Amino acid sequence: MTLPVIISCDPGIDDAVALALAFGSPELKVLAVAATAGNVSLGRATANAAALLDLLGVAADFPVYSGAAAPLAGGERIADEPVHGVGGLGGVLLPDSTRSIETDAVAHMAGLILDRPGEVTLLALGPLTDVGHLFNRFPDTIAAIGQLVIMGGAVFSQGNVTLSAEFNFYADPEAAALVLERGQRIRLVPLDVTRKAVVDRPTATMLAGLPSPAGEIGAMLVDMCNTMVARGRPDGAVMHDPLAAAAVIEQSLITWQAATATVELHGALTRGAVVADVRGVSGREPNIRYGRDVAAANFLTMLTERLKGLGLPGTARPRPARPERETTP
């Protein structure tokens, strides 16, 4: 039995690793990849998603769906390119894809979910704009989603954009608030646990030395390690999105805690922050389960073994030609 999954993402280095993990895991059947603006612009996120599917050897008739370019309430979205490089994938230069790009990702997502009620996992790795549009335009999907796994938020951890807000939630707080308010069967993978899931430089370098496509994924991780060091942070690539993907594959990797959670929209210092009640003070029923702890060593073993196995003989996906790669210091 394989679990049907729709992936909403904004590639982004850690999105790229998450896609590699998802497509390289026999437990999952990826039904669709929908790109949204976040780490990079919508156009760049869509192009990166298509190029990554080519790199991973995904069938040429598997399209990429293009979603939201701006936040739910309008206005501009500020990209996170300084972390991911100008093109979003660090020093790795992937060939332009000729894969089909379909518009209106939300309608396609709704069709897949409603065709298989209760079965499809929606894995949201970027800002929740498209999920918010999905709930507004196709409210029947809310009950039909099997589970909604979200990488986002900082529950009892400090934010990574502001002191209180994580990037995905800060990029579109209105969408995050709507999704947490109306969604069902939500599992939130926040900074509280993703910061414990770090690929160190030796592992990244080992992966970078492997044949395509693992080598390109490893090179992205090396680039992220370099970026962290340049910013005065510990040497390592934090695996935010891959941990969320791993939680779909093996839920027991994470220790989950029920909570009643909302997203702050108006605070000058707290816009985009998750406000979580774990003691029942509000008197409301819990609406999420959030990741409180993670078996980090087990996750990293899974991740590295699955990445090392990409494109090996006997797998369902052939090795594509190795693209060019920039060198990084």
Side-chain angles (χ1 to χ4, degrees):
M1 293 291 291
T2 56
L3 183 67
V5 177
I6 296 170
I7 301 176
S8 173
C9 57
D10 57 336
I13 293 173
D14 58 332
D15 299 78
V17 182
L19 287 171
L21 177 59
F23 278 101
S25 294
E27 297 91 344
L28 304 184
K29 179 177 177 57
V30 182
L31 302 179
V33 172
T36 189
N39 290 323
V40 290
S41 68
L42 176 62
R44 176 45 54 190
T46 305
N48 284 353
L52 285 163
L53 296 190
D54 291 348
L55 175 69
L56 296 170
V58 178
D61 60 353
F62 188 104
V64 170
Y65 299 101
S66 183
L72 196 65
E76 291 189 17
R77 175 167 292 158
I78 299 173
D80 198 27
E81 286 184 349
V83 173
H84 298 270
V86 174
L89 301 178
V92 176
L93 305 175
L94 299 179
D96 292 338
S97 178
T98 59
R99 187 177 299 270
S100 174
I101 305 298
E102 304 285 348
T103 57
D104 200 354
V106 169
H108 290 284
M109 291 162 61
L112 291 168
I113 291 165
L114 294 173
D115 280 347
R116 307 172 75 161
E119 297 181 20
V120 177
T121 292
L122 177 53
L123 174 60
L125 303 178
L128 290 172
T129 312
D130 282 340
V131 185
H133 284 302
L134 179 71
F135 285 7
N136 280 336
R137 290 176 55 191
F138 302 95
D140 288 351
T141 60
I142 296 171
I145 295 171
Q147 64 174 341
L148 175 55
V149 178
I150 299 168
M151 189 281 120
V155 180
F156 294 112
S157 178
Q158 226 173 41
N160 60 356
V161 176
T162 68
L163 289 176
S164 55
E166 174 273 336
F167 174 77
N168 285 341
F169 279 27
Y170 187 74
D172 196 340
E174 282 76 16
L178 183 153
V179 171
L180 262 59
E181 177 185 346
R182 298 176 61 189
Q184 301 176 21
R185 295 174 294 282
I186 295 175
R187 290 190 182 266
L188 186 69
V189 183
L191 297 183
D192 306 56
V193 286
T194 63
R195 283 187 168 128
K196 301 176 183 178
V198 180
V199 170
D200 60 22
R201 183 180 294 272
T203 301
T205 302
M206 176 275 294
L207 291 168
L210 296 176
S212 181
E216 282 64 51
I217 300 297
M220 296 177 201
L221 293 173
V222 170
D223 186 86
M224 185 168 274
C225 290
N226 292 336
T227 299
M228 293 301 102
V229 170
R231 291 178 164 222
R233 300 179 187 175
D235 188 358
V238 180
M239 294 291 91
H240 302 293
D241 295 338
L243 182 59
V248 178
I249 299 165
E250 189 175 331
Q251 203 171 90
S252 62
L253 287 170
I254 291 179
T255 302
W256 304 95
Q257 170 77 49
T260 303
T262 57
V263 177
E264 172 59 42
L265 299 179
H266 305 294
L269 299 177
T270 55
R271 178 168 163 80
V274 175
V275 181
D277 173 14
V278 297
R279 296 189 293 116
V281 173
S282 66
R284 297 171 53 204
E285 288 295 318
N287 61 334
I288 68 165
R289 293 185 179 275
Y290 78 92
R292 188 182 66 192
D293 202 359
V294 58
N298 293 346
F299 160 70
L300 291 169
T301 296
M302 171 198 281
L303 180 65
T304 54
E305 291 304 312
R306 303 268 171 120
L307 294 180
K308 285 162 62 176
L310 291 173
L312 290 179
T315 63
R317 301 171 182 87
R319 290 182 184 173
R322 190 179 185 90
E324 296 179 15
R325 187 167 73 212
E326 289 183 346
T327 57
T328 50

